Amino acid sequence: MKFFIDTANLSEIREAYDLGVLDGVTTNPSLMAKEGITGDENVKAHYKAICDIVDDKVSAEVIATDYEGMIREGKELAKIDDKIVVKIPMIRDGVKALKYFKSEGIRTNCTLIFSSGQALLAAKAGASYVSPFIGRLDDISYDGLELIGQIVHIYGNYGYETEVLAASIRHTMHLIKCAEIGADVATCPLKVITGLLKHPLTDSGLAQFLADHAKAAGK
Ligand code: G3P
């Protein structure tokens, strides 16, 4: 399973990249706003700065919600760097835009997926990735992980090339369950990735090893 980091914060992206396990980055307008990035030129410069840190696959979301606007913005975003994946919302004009970008060889990530029907539509339109939001479904008492399983199953039935990018991941168990289910990618905050490191038996085991070594060495 590929690991993407879900942030527009450059130092968090650098930290995840330095750990050696990062395959890409996802952003959205809320995450860009959180970093205080506004204005077309600043937004483009920030995406470029992200692309300069990682090896590939930086999702950059369009703001337009009409077909022409999404095409115009998506083309501008794609020009920033070959690593850009244009993020398109799951709406009627978005589905049409996915088809257009597929024909142009521009990679897309269809976002705000909350049902397997939406995921099926995005795959048929040629999305490179679909982003089902696990945490936001869990928030309203639907089973986000069950949706990941349904989409993996449907795509497997027909050999769709669209990758299942599990998003809105809130904790390490979401991430681990996504790996069990067979999601292609999981995008999560830095703390979820580093959370995988933690186990009390690792900490106590290491402390014991070091203490035994020091004792044997007469320290
Ligand atoms: O990738 C989508 C993600 O940013 C949404 O996460 O935690 O805002 O539901 P969250």
Side-chain angles (χ1 to χ4, degrees), residues 25-98:
V25 179
T26 52
T27 63
N28 61 38
S30 303
L31 293 170
M32 292 291 276
K34 193 173 162 195
E35 299 307 312
I37 314 297
T38 55
D40 282 0
E41 291 316 307
N42 290 338
V43 165
K44 283 183 192 165
H46 198 77
Y47 283 134
K48 182 63 185 157
I50 294 174
C51 289
D52 287 346
I53 298 172
V54 299
D55 296 332
D56 198 9
K57 303 181 194 88
V58 175
S59 282
E61 188 160 342
V62 298
I63 304 298
T65 54
D66 64 296
Y67 177 75
E68 284 77 17
M70 281 189 262
I71 300 302
R72 189 175 55 249
E73 270 183 44
K75 281 177 166 176
E76 284 296 309
L77 291 169
K79 265 192 247 164
I80 296 171
D81 197 291
D82 287 345
K83 297 173 188 173
I84 292 285
V85 176
V86 178
K87 207 169 177 188
I88 303 281
M90 171 35 79
I91 53 177
R92 183 182 293 260
D93 279 13
V95 173
K96 289 165 62 181
L98 293 172

Side-chain angles (χ1 to χ4, degrees), residues 6 26 28 31 87 111 133 135-136 167-170 187:
D6 195 30
T26 52
N28 61 38
L31 293 170
K87 207 169 177 188
T111 189
F133 281 25
R136 291 192 193 184
S168 185
I169 287 181
R170 303 280 170 76
T187 189

Side-chain angles (χ1 to χ4, degrees), residues 2-201:
K2 290 188 269 287
F3 279 15
F4 289 2
I5 189 167
D6 195 30
T7 183
N9 182 281
L10 298 180
S11 64
E12 287 185 0
I13 294 167
R14 264 187 222 104
E15 186 178 336
Y17 185 78
D18 287 347
L19 192 58
V21 298
L22 194 66
D23 300 295
V25 179
T26 52
T27 63
N28 61 38
S30 303
L31 293 170
M32 292 291 276
K34 193 173 162 195
E35 299 307 312
I37 314 297
T38 55
D40 282 0
E41 291 316 307
N42 290 338
V43 165
K44 283 183 192 165
H46 198 77
Y47 283 134
K48 182 63 185 157
I50 294 174
C51 289
D52 287 346
I53 298 172
V54 299
D55 296 332
D56 198 9
K57 303 181 194 88
V58 175
S59 282
E61 188 160 342
V62 298
I63 304 298
T65 54
D66 64 296
Y67 177 75
E68 284 77 17
M70 281 189 262
I71 300 302
R72 189 175 55 249
E73 270 183 44
K75 281 177 166 176
E76 284 296 309
L77 291 169
K79 265 192 247 164
I80 296 171
D81 197 291
D82 287 345
K83 297 173 188 173
I84 292 285
V85 176
V86 178
K87 207 169 177 188
I88 303 281
M90 171 35 79
I91 53 177
R92 183 182 293 260
D93 279 13
V95 173
K96 289 165 62 181
L98 293 172
K99 184 88 180 166
Y100 172 83
F101 286 122
K102 171 76 176 174
S103 72
E104 291 293 303
I106 293 173
R107 295 175 298 180
T108 52
N109 173 357
C110 185
T111 189
L112 291 166
I113 295 282
F114 292 97
S115 77
S116 51
Q118 292 177 324
L120 183 55
L121 205 49
K124 285 195 67 71
S128 314
Y129 301 92
V130 283
S131 290
F133 281 25
I134 301 177
R136 291 192 193 184
L137 279 170
D138 288 358
D139 286 344
I140 58 161
S141 308
Y142 284 79
D143 188 341
L145 287 166
E146 189 181 345
L147 175 62
I148 300 296
Q150 289 166 350
I151 300 170
V152 166
H153 183 84
I154 290 170
Y155 285 8
N157 282 348
Y158 300 102
Y160 286 124
E161 288 174 10
T162 305
E163 294 189 46
V164 181
L165 193 172
S168 185
I169 287 181
R170 303 280 170 76
H171 49 73
T172 52
M173 283 314 295
H174 270 157
L175 183 52
I176 292 162
K177 288 289 174 192
C178 281
E180 283 180 13
I181 292 166
D184 300 288
V185 190
T187 189
C188 30
L190 179 63
K191 70 170 188 205
V192 175
I193 298 174
T194 55
L196 295 179
L197 285 165
K198 294 177 192 161
H199 200 289
L201 291 179

